Amino acid sequence: MARLHLFDLDGTLLHGTTAPVEISRQLGLEAETVALDRAIGAGLIGPPEYAAQVYDLWAGLTEAHVTAAFQAAPWLTRIREVWAEIRSAGEYCAVVSLSPSFFVERLLEWGAHAAHGSRFPAVPFTEPVDPAGALSAAAKVTIADRLCAEFGVARADCVAYGDSSSDKDLFAVVPVSVAVNADGHLAGLATHSYTGRDLWDAYELVAGIS
């Protein structure tokens, strides 16, 4: 049976940062977004409040800002190589992230079969954000189940890669998981743990290749 590899984005594929921080850096609003990241990480606000507040920060956001943020972000190395290997093995790879859909979906060009993020209007914003479209930890499981149905696999065939509390629910329902540069929220939950800057090395823990 083919497997479905489910990748978190912030802190996992991106090293030590989040997509909203990288986007805000292009607008000179990095500090404000770091504060929001800390607030949601501490449970002081939820995903809907976070989405509404970053939307307000990004009133002047353009597609050029998003492109610059994507290109300058500190990605782990060999992401595309890992996804190409997964595809060549007849398996599936997807990104499921709480970050904005307009950023997450760019990873389809790198070889992901699917990429899901919190729903935001197109950039530049001419419509309001719907806070109900903000994803949560529980929503990651719902999306994973939907992807399983789409690709003809089961939860038992899934591998999850993540780094923080937003990945706890998903780690709890799949048989194999990899904590990537993870914080204490995933202690004792992951099948494997990886610290470093190369996704291939994390993938090797579950792939049985060299």
Side-chain angles (χ1 to χ4, degrees), residues 18-124:
T18 67
V21 167
E22 295 306 304
I23 293 165
S24 294
R25 194 189 309 277
Q26 300 298 320
L27 298 169
L29 297 168
E30 177 186 358
E32 290 85 343
T33 309
V34 168
L36 286 176
D37 279 1
R38 288 176 178 157
I40 193 170
L44 300 177
I45 60 173
E49 293 81 12
Y50 184 96
Q53 291 186 48
V54 293
Y55 174 85
D56 288 342
L57 282 178
W58 295 341
L61 189 64
T62 67
E63 190 68 17
H65 289 130
V66 179
T67 297
F70 190 90
Q71 293 176 346
W75 298 100
L76 264 60
T77 60
R78 295 202 283 181
I79 294 173
R80 281 169 278 200
E81 289 85 347
V82 167
W83 293 350
E85 178 67 23
I86 289 170
R87 282 178 169 269
S88 71
E91 299 186 341
Y92 304 97
C93 51
V95 182
V96 184
S97 170
L98 274 57
S99 276
S101 51
F102 61 76
F103 190 95
V104 179
E105 289 166 4
R106 286 173 172 252
L107 289 167
L108 292 170
E109 298 177 6
W110 286 14
H113 287 93
H116 293 272
S118 293
R119 292 196 308 273
F120 270 72
V123 176

Side-chain angles (χ1 to χ4, degrees), residues 2-3 15-16 25 35 38 51 58 60 84 111 117 119 135 138 144 146 153-154 157 162 167 184 192 197 201 203 209:
R3 293 185 298 178
H15 186 266
R25 194 189 309 277
R38 288 176 178 157
W58 295 341
R119 292 196 308 273
L135 298 189
R146 190 185 313 151
V153 301
D157 307 309
D167 304 299
H192 305 279
R197 302 289 294 266
D201 291 342
Y203 172 63
I209 61 175

Side-chain angles (χ1 to χ4, degrees), residues 90-181:
E91 299 186 341
Y92 304 97
C93 51
V95 182
V96 184
S97 170
L98 274 57
S99 276
S101 51
F102 61 76
F103 190 95
V104 179
E105 289 166 4
R106 286 173 172 252
L107 289 167
L108 292 170
E109 298 177 6
W110 286 14
H113 287 93
H116 293 272
S118 293
R119 292 196 308 273
F120 270 72
V123 176
F125 299 145
T126 58
E127 303 173 8
V129 66
D130 179 4
L135 298 189
S136 63
K140 286 191 173 187
V141 177
T142 301
I143 292 171
D145 285 341
R146 190 185 313 151
L147 291 171
C148 283
E150 179 180 343
F151 297 131
V153 301
R155 282 186 183 180
D157 307 309
C158 291
V159 182
Y161 304 74
D163 75 303
S164 67
S165 59
S166 70
D167 304 299
K168 288 178 67 175
D169 288 15
L170 189 57
F171 274 37
V173 300
V174 302
V176 180
S177 55
V178 183
V180 179
N181 297 315

